[in-house]
Amino acid sequence: GWHNEGAHTYGYNDISLGIAFIGDFTGRSPNAAAWAALKLLLHFAVKDGYLSSDYLLMAHGDVSNTISPGQPIRNVLKTWPHYKH
C-alpha cells in the first residue's frame, strides 16, 4: 500500500516509491501495456497526493550499483520529463 515502506533501495526507502517491472529487461523493453500501466500509476499517485507533482524519476541503477532495471528501460526513462540522472 501507499503507506508501507519498501526495501528496494538502501537510503531511499523512506522517501521514495519503488516500482518494478516483472521480467529481465537487460535485452528488451517492457511491452506497451506495462509502460501504459506505469504512466497511469504515476498519474494517479500525483493526482491522489501520494507523489509530489515535481517528483524525480530515477532508475535503480542510478542510486545503487546494479544493472537493474536494464538499459532498454533506462533508454525510455531518460526521455521522460521527470527523469534525473
Side-chain angles (χ1 to χ4, degrees), residues 21-44:
F21 291 110
I22 298 173
D24 177 355
F25 299 104
T26 56
R28 65 181 178 88
S29 182
N31 64 27
W35 285 113
L38 173 58
K39 287 180 180 180
L40 282 173
L41 178 66
L42 293 172
H43 169 79
F44 284 110

Side-chain angles (χ1 to χ4, degrees), residues 9-26:
T9 310
Y10 182 75
Y12 292 86
N13 295 322
D14 62 339
I15 61 168
S16 65
L17 171 64
I19 302 169
F21 291 110
I22 298 173
D24 177 355
F25 299 104
T26 56

